[in-house]
Amino acid sequence: ESGADASLMRAPYAWAHLELGEVAAAQEIVGGAIAHARAERDRIALVDGLRVRAMVAGRQGRWDVAVADLEEGLALARGMPYPHAEARLLHVHGGTLAGKGEPGPARERLEAALATFRRLGARRDAEETEATLATLSTRADAPAVPPGHERTG
C-alpha cells in the first residue's frame, strides 16, 4: 500500500468510527488525516478529511467548526474542480444547517448537491440527498437532523 493509498483511507476510516458511534476515535483519526493531508499538500485527501471532520463536529453540536470546515472544503473542491466532493460537502453542509435550525439555507445546499449528483449520475448519493430533503420537508416545525448528525452522549 503506497503512502497515497493510505492517505486516502484515513478519512473513510474516521467516518466508519463515526458511524459506529465512536465519536472520539473518529475525531482523533480525522485530525491526523487532515494534518497529514496538509503536510503532503494532498488536496483530495484534505477535502475528504474536512468533510468528515465537519460530520464529527456536527454530531457534537459544534456547528461553527463544522461550517468552517465545510466552507474550506468547498473552496478547495471548487478550485480543483472536484464536483463529486463538492456535492458531498454541500450535502453535509445542508444537514449541518438543518441541525442548526436553518432550514432555508439547508434546502439551498441540499438542492445544489442533488443537482450535481444527478448531473454526475451518482444515483446513491442523489437518493440519500432526496431523503434528507424529504426529512427537512416533513419536519418544517423542527430542524431536520440527517443521519450522521445526531448528537450522542
Side-chain angles (χ1 to χ4, degrees):
E1 164 177 319
S2 73
D5 292 339
S7 177
L8 291 174
M9 293 307 299
R10 292 174 190 215
Y13 184 57
W15 187 13
H17 279 279
L18 183 63
E19 291 299 309
L20 292 171
E22 299 168 0
V23 179
Q27 184 174 0
E28 182 177 336
I29 294 164
V30 77
I34 289 171
H36 185 266
R38 287 190 196 284
E40 296 295 318
R41 299 189 192 309
D42 184 343
R43 294 187 313 161
I44 292 173
L46 180 56
V47 165
D48 290 339
L50 289 166
R51 179 180 53 82
V52 174
R53 188 166 72 180
M55 293 169 68
V56 170
R59 180 82 57 98
Q60 296 169 326
R62 299 178 323 141
W63 308 118
D64 292 341
V65 172
V67 169
D69 282 345
L70 291 164
E71 289 174 356
E72 181 182 355
L74 283 165
L76 287 167
R78 289 173 178 151
M80 285 188 228
Y82 186 6
H84 188 250
E86 180 180 347
R88 292 177 82 189
L89 285 156
L90 285 167
H91 184 199
V92 173
H93 201 177
T96 299
L97 291 170
K100 273 181 76 172
E102 299 179 19
R107 178 172 304 288
E108 290 174 15
R109 289 347 177 263
L110 292 166
E111 288 174 350
L114 181 58
T116 300
F117 288 140
R118 286 179 175 160
R119 181 174 54 84
L120 296 173
R123 189 171 46 217
R124 189 177 130 252
D125 290 316
E127 290 169 357
E128 290 175 3
T129 304
E130 288 168 344
T132 303
L133 276 164
T135 301
L136 188 62
S137 295
T138 59
R139 298 188 58 195
D141 59 333
V145 181
H149 288 82
E150 306 90 352
R151 288 190 195 191
T152 57

